[in-house]
Amino acid sequence: MASMGLNISKFIPTPKPEEAYNAMFGLAAEQVRLISLELLESFGDQPFRSYDEEALDELAASIQQHGLLTPIIVQQLPEQRYRILAGHNRVKAVQRLGQEKINAIVKECDDDQATLIMLETNLAQRKELLPSELAFAYKMQMETLKHQGKRADPTSAPLEPKLSSETVAAQMNTSRAQIQRYIRLTYLIKPFLDIADEHRLPVRAGVALSYLTADEQQIVLDFILQNKKNISIEIAENLKKLSAAGDLIEELLPEIFGTAAKEKTEKPPKPTVIRVSIPYDRYSRYFQDMGPKEIAQRIDRIIEEWLNKQGLLDPQTEE
């Protein structure tokens, strides 16, 4: 992964008043605590990648120079342990500096609230997110919101998918359609997700491919890798239509991607043309007052008559 560049603002989360988090999740105000790193646990199932080695070194250098400007956020667990909700990379950077403790805001919340805090803070604070990160983050938000709605009132129906996606869209300041497009990417096989993260597969093309079965996706993947082809939105939509009709087979891929060998139509051989040049002064005295066309016709007749007398004229030609 390429270096993210020494840009301190990328490593410092966008400041948000603590009261805003508390109001958002219905939690009481907490104070910042100094917590031993030994008591921290990672948030196991989360969609965000860690910084690469170079970026972590730059973050550690920033913290060493300026201090930890924004505390991490953790969930209170039993036996005085804590789960990291926001700040995994800050924890790693502090560890590199040999520090044993870190400032943290402790949340006493259930697992659904913890998941939403983890997702909200990372989506809001990270400046560069891959398509796969957005895809799985939005999907996790949707599932958590539906689960929350289901637990809030067991007698009522769970939150509708439409309502959940509208909620996520409002929180992320984007459209419901965009949220649903990214969530469709979670149905891609991992190699296609990797290609999307490398920006070699447009999101809309990835959405169309996501409707193919895993086996169909693998067939298409093998073909494009072997033939060094890219997938445009138009091609992806064609593949989606063929898949829906049950007509997507490997033999059609060369035609779809425009790599089919074009059949060569055999053209009839050109007739052999023998051109003979006769100097003008040699024949001009025999064809006085004649134009070029008349001279050519007269020469043809003379040659035919001579060949006929010699018995050399092809009967078919004579006819």
Side-chain angles (χ1 to χ4, degrees):
M1 184 183 298
S3 169
M4 299 177 68
L6 184 52
N7 184 347
I8 295 174
S9 64
K10 287 187 176 184
F11 304 123
I12 302 174
T14 304
K16 274 191 174 184
E18 178 61 15
E19 292 78 7
Y21 286 117
N22 297 332
M24 184 185 301
F25 299 105
L27 305 172
E30 296 95 350
Q31 297 297 319
V32 175
R33 303 184 197 174
L34 193 61
I35 295 177
S36 172
L37 298 181
E38 296 179 349
L39 302 178
L40 297 177
E41 297 180 5
S42 297
F43 198 107
D45 184 20
Q46 57 98 6
F48 305 103
R49 73 196 189 283
S50 297
Y51 290 166
D52 63 17
E53 293 298 312
E54 189 173 352
L56 282 173
D57 286 340
E58 292 172 356
L59 175 56
S62 172
I63 293 174
Q64 188 172 37
Q65 182 179 0
H66 303 281
L68 184 67
L69 301 182
T70 305
I72 66 170
I73 301 175
V74 298
Q75 176 191 16
Q76 176 75 63
L77 298 176
E79 300 179 1
Q80 291 301 307
R81 295 194 64 80
Y82 306 90
R83 181 163 61 161
I84 304 170
L85 305 184
H88 287 81
N89 291 302
R90 278 168 279 168
V91 170
K92 291 179 181 179
V94 166
Q95 288 173 327
R96 291 189 173 210
L97 295 174
Q99 299 178 14
E100 297 181 353
K101 295 184 177 182
I102 191 170
N103 285 331
I105 297 169
V106 181
K107 299 289 187 182
E108 294 185 2
C109 55
D110 61 30
D111 288 342
D112 282 343
Q113 289 173 323
T115 298
L116 291 175
I117 292 173
M118 181 274 295
L119 294 168
E120 295 273 348
T121 52
N122 279 281
L123 286 170
Q125 294 168 1
R126 295 195 180 215
K127 306 301 181 184
E128 298 176 2
L129 288 168
L130 298 175
S132 63
E133 292 178 298
L134 288 171
F136 285 101
Y138 289 153
K139 184 177 182 180
M140 188 178 288
Q141 273 186 307
M142 289 266 293
E143 292 173 347
T144 304
L145 284 169
K146 286 188 285 186
H147 184 251
Q148 242 194 351
K150 188 175 182 179
R151 289 191 312 121
D153 183 3
T155 62
S156 65
L159 277 157
E160 293 294 327
K162 180 178 179 181
L163 177 59
S164 298
S165 59
E166 287 177 347
T167 303
V168 174
Q171 291 173 347
M172 294 299 104
N173 193 29
T174 187
S175 67
R176 175 172 168 257
Q178 185 74 342
I179 295 293
Q180 291 177 328
R181 274 195 288 269
Y182 273 107
I183 291 176
R184 279 302 316 178
L185 296 183
T186 63
Y187 294 90
L188 290 174
I189 59 177
K190 189 178 183 305
F192 270 133
L193 269 176
D194 293 340
I195 293 174
D197 285 344
E198 294 166 4
H199 306 292
R200 293 190 292 119
L201 179 68
V203 170
R204 288 180 180 270
V207 170
L209 286 179
S210 74
Y211 289 92
L212 276 60
T213 66
D215 289 341
E216 289 172 335
Q217 289 184 43
Q218 187 62 52
I219 291 172
V220 173
L221 177 70
D222 292 341
F223 179 85
I224 65 170
L225 292 179
Q226 182 178 357
N227 294 277
K228 297 180 181 180
K229 290 290 181 179
N230 294 320
I231 301 181
S232 65
I233 297 174
E234 181 181 1
I235 288 177
E237 290 291 348
N238 288 338
L239 292 170
K240 176 184 174 182
K241 291 176 183 177
L242 288 171
S243 176
D247 295 331
L248 181 54
I249 57 176
E250 187 174 358
E251 289 73 15
L252 289 177
L253 295 183
E255 181 180 349
I256 294 170
F257 283 85
T259 60
K262 295 181 180 179
E263 295 183 5
K264 295 181 180 179
T265 50
E266 293 187 4
K267 297 181 180 179
K270 293 182 179 180
T272 303
V273 178
I274 300 175
R275 298 184 183 277
V276 179
S277 297
I278 304 175
Y280 177 76
D281 58 356
R282 285 194 181 183
Y283 65 81
S284 59
R285 64 178 182 269
Y286 302 114
F287 307 104
Q288 294 180 2
D289 301 326
M290 287 188 183
K293 186 175 181 180
E294 293 174 307
I295 292 173
Q297 291 173 346
R298 175 68 62 85
I299 290 174
D300 282 344
R301 284 200 299 270
I302 292 172
I303 292 173
E304 286 180 7
E305 290 173 359
W306 185 85
L307 290 173
N308 189 32
K309 288 180 180 179
Q310 301 298 321
L312 299 175
L313 186 64
D314 186 348
Q316 292 182 353
T317 306
E318 189 177 7
E319 293 176 357

